[in-house]
Amino acid sequence: MTTTEQKLTGHFIGDQQHTPAGEDIIDVFSPLDGSLLGAVPAASRQTTDQAVAVAQHAFERWSVTPIKERVQVLFRFKHLLEKNIDELSNLIHRENGKTISEGRAEIEKGIEVLEFASSLPQLFEQEKLEVSSGVDCEYKRYPLGVVLSITPFNFPAMVPMWTIPIAIGCGNTFLLKPSEQVPLTSVRLGELFSKAGLPTGVYNVLHGRQQTSEMLIDHPGIRAISFVGSTAAAQSVYRRAAALGKRVLALGGAKNHLVVVPDADREITAKNVVASAMGCAGQRCMAASVLILVGDTGDMLDRIINEAKNIKVGSDLGAIISDRAKQRIEGYITRAAQRGHAVPVDGRNTTVVGKENGWYVGPTIIAGVTPSDECACDEIFGPVLSVINVSTLEEALTIENNNPYGNAASIYTTSGAVARHFSEHANAGMVGVNIGVPVPREPFSFGGWNQSRFGAGDITGMDGIRFWTKLKKITTKWSATASKNWMS
Ligand code: NAD
């Protein structure tokens, strides 16, 4: 047996791991030190058919299991996540490269969605109204069937957890196609679901790359598709699924702007801006990527530079997902330097002692950037902050408004009027005031605008319930008298 075969983690279908003979094998490397962490098979058409059939079979019973019973599984699963949070954070750390505390934070955020989904019976309660004498109108929500979620590398637990609890809580059965770069956490979640008593076949994991995603999207047994990943892939998934008449929501990439005005609190702002840009090594769709300093912000940039220089790579700041991604990020820094931009904090050629084969880029700040520079326009997806100076808030808003993405935008100010003006005019789905990563906490929903999202609605919150269910409207008349009105 080769080393790869020894480390094989199978597809998770019907509560068991499957590693069908003859399927391509995808190696999984730990970004921390470049070592081989595991391997997964890439699902063939036959495996895809098998997984969909298992989920279809499970749907027959799960879809008619009373919702109060379904959420009991979610309660037990939450308990298991909490009990196993150290092990799970460690697994995320090893397969994604982020720090253990960042791994822990993403489980905690996933648990928030789980808590939201555990309250589905309460949320479904008041959907009936007597609309005229003796006549009731009622909403009834039904699950769709077997549904699919395709997820990116940067949050191996949290992004899948945006969809799994709500989709299965609503009575669907679920196929997850995790990123081939971080496929291990999703199988571990499956084992914990089994332990929590989730019936066999309700949650399944199929490994693979783009080809497996596309086979699943096209599969006639898949009723709805949720996608999170880069904008090019999101657009392609959206078009493919919509052309087949399927329900689809596809979240894409981002380029988030932080705007600092002169009255901002210097210390709080400097710390917060750096945390936003460098957390998760900049590999999050809500990370700050462009900093716009408006007017005379005094020593703000110096403070930010000092904060960034104090970050210890390897302990405060995790690894980059792959050598390819590291090269791509460093390419942006090199080209900016070649164009004459100052790089007062330069994360190129960073190594961590004892982990020399790991993939690291240190905190990076590129100063004196103009709005049309590639580092101000492209999603770099690394710990790189590009700084633009402007004279007025309106100029800052114009730059933010003109970027094609629309996940997040934040302002740092001590003026309520400035904050309100910015919140009203920022062209993004999630806006922060003195918060650099304005991820709404449940029950507020998550979702961007423009090229950061294809399809309608947000991925969590009430929109999640709407996405994963179909609505029936039932009008009933029970009346002892033969009264008549326009709708009798
Ligand atoms: P990616 O687009 O390369 O891959 C995402 C997933 O889609 C993976 O499972 C991959 O196997 C699959 N895939 C890739 N190309 C596909 C295609 N053409 N058709 C179908 N499936 C395809 O993204 P990534 O590099 O894993 O993740 C990083 C990206 O995800 C960044 O752009 C980031 O901004 C984005 N992201 C967005 C959000 C959000 O909420 N908007 C959240 C997290 C990450």
Side-chain angles (χ1 to χ4, degrees), residues 278-299:
M278 310 305 168
C280 295
Q283 299 169 109
R284 49 184 174 177
C285 64
M286 294 294 280
S289 187
V290 177
L291 171 67
I292 308 180
L293 298 175
V294 179
D296 181 4
T297 50
D299 65 352

Side-chain angles (χ1 to χ4, degrees), residues 270 273-274 278 291 299-311 342-346 363-367 385 387:
V273 165
V274 172
M278 310 305 168
L291 171 67
D299 65 352
M300 186 69 79
L301 185 57
D302 292 335
R303 284 173 182 261
I304 288 171
I305 289 169
N306 284 337
E307 280 292 329
K309 281 186 173 163
N310 283 335
I311 291 176
V343 188
V345 191
D346 186 346
T364 299
I365 295 180
I366 306 173
L385 185 64
V387 185

Side-chain angles (χ1 to χ4, degrees), residues 149-155 158-159 162 177-182 208-214 217 227-234 236-237 240 250-255 283-286 321 328 379 381 405 407 430 446-448 451-453 459:
S149 195
I150 301 169
T151 53
F153 79 81
N154 62 330
F155 285 94
M158 184 192 78
V159 171
W162 282 348
K177 207 303 281 168
S179 164
E180 62 277 23
Q181 298 183 96
V182 295
R209 302 189 174 92
Q210 176 176 345
Q211 201 188 11
T212 300
S213 299
E214 291 180 346
I217 295 165
F227 174 91
V228 181
S230 57
T231 286
S236 153
V237 167
R240 192 175 189 107
L251 303 190
K255 188 78 180 171
Q283 299 169 109
R284 49 184 174 177
C285 64
M286 294 294 280
I321 189 66
R328 198 199 64 240
E379 182 181 44
F381 224 56
Y405 299 100
N407 244 18
M430 293 169 279
F446 185 100
Q451 299 279 308
S452 295
R453 182 186 67 191
I459 197 164

Side-chain angles (χ1 to χ4, degrees), residues 46 259 318 354 423:
Q46 202 183 351
V259 175
S423 305

Side-chain angles (χ1 to χ4, degrees), residues 13 67 91 110 170 189 235 281 291 306 308 313 317 331 340 346 407 456 486:
I13 304 171
I67 192 163
L91 179 56
C170 287
L189 292 181
Q235 198 161 23
L291 171 67
N306 284 337
V313 181
L317 188 120
D346 186 346
N407 244 18
W486 65 268

